Amino acid sequence: RRSPCSARDRRLYELITKWSDSMAAIEPNVGDTVSFSKTITETDVYLFAGITGDFYELHMNRVYAESAPMGKQIAHGVIAMGLASTVATNIMKKYDYWVPAVLYGYDKVRFIKPIFFGDTLPAHQTVSEFDAATNKMVSKVEVFNQRGDIVLAAQCLQKFME
């Protein structure tokens, strides 16, 4: 005799069960950290400018930038925020949860030092709080340059979906 459930219904039940089991296992630990590093090239800056429409002379014009106080071209500070987004995704991978999670904001974002073409930027995200009742996680995000200077600091807010 055939089961009254279709293959699609059985698969849906399996997915819901897996999701439910994952929800019960969410336990990020304060202090958990992930990192990602990227060298910012001239090409990265020009492509970013093309995507965003931010063609400010400090990013795009070498001669202009050389006469400015920093003495050379700088990358868009928001590129460092892109690296912050990468570590926000990677922290979810660290826990290997099947449960979807969303990034719902950054607080206290500060662009502290300029980013120059050729800088290598290690980004780090460290869990500072986790509320199991709401499945919300708060993390400290820091992006440095290869000299160890902090170029960006922020607080990342994430939520595991129920």
Side-chain angles (χ1 to χ4, degrees):
R1 185 176 161 161
R2 287 190 62 187
S3 167
C5 295
S6 69
R8 179 182 171 278
D9 289 342
R10 282 191 301 279
R11 179 66 182 142
L12 184 58
Y13 174 79
E14 290 170 10
L15 292 174
I16 290 169
T17 301
K18 185 175 184 179
W19 187 333
S20 177
D21 291 347
S22 293
M23 284 301 295
I26 295 175
E27 295 179 14
N29 297 307
V30 171
D32 285 353
T33 301
V34 293
S35 301
F36 175 79
S37 185
K38 174 158 180 33
T39 299
I40 305 304
T41 66
E42 184 176 17
T43 301
D44 293 327
V45 173
Y46 290 159
L47 289 172
F48 186 84
I51 291 167
T52 63
D54 181 352
F55 295 101
Y56 185 48
E57 288 81 2
L58 282 175
H59 309 308
M60 308 305 295
N61 185 324
R62 183 182 53 81
V63 174
Y64 175 85
E66 287 173 351
S67 67
M70 286 171 244
K72 57 185 172 179
Q73 284 173 277
I74 61 171
H76 304 76
V78 179
I79 287 177
M81 282 300 300
L83 301 181
S85 179
T86 299
V87 291
T89 300
N90 288 349
I91 200 130
M92 295 301 143
K93 292 178 185 177
K94 176 182 180 71
Y95 302 121
D96 196 29
Y97 295 138
W98 189 84
V99 176
V102 293
L103 169 65
Y104 68 97
Y106 288 97
D107 286 343
K108 303 175 186 172
V109 177
R110 299 295 178 265
F111 300 97
I112 299 166
K113 293 242 180 183
I115 301 165
F116 298 106
F117 294 7
D119 277 355
T120 299
L121 305 180
H124 309 283
Q125 180 169 331
T126 304
V127 176
S128 51
E129 300 172 34
F130 179 70
D131 182 346
T134 62
N135 290 323
K136 291 181 181 177
M137 184 169 70
V138 178
S139 300
K140 177 174 77 169
V141 176
E142 296 175 311
V143 180
F144 296 86
N145 61 25
Q146 70 277 7
R147 295 174 294 282
D149 301 323
I150 190 163
V151 298
L152 177 133
Q155 187 177 57
C156 179
L157 311 171
Q158 292 170 279
K159 179 174 174 54
F160 293 95
M161 303 308 293
E162 297 181 35

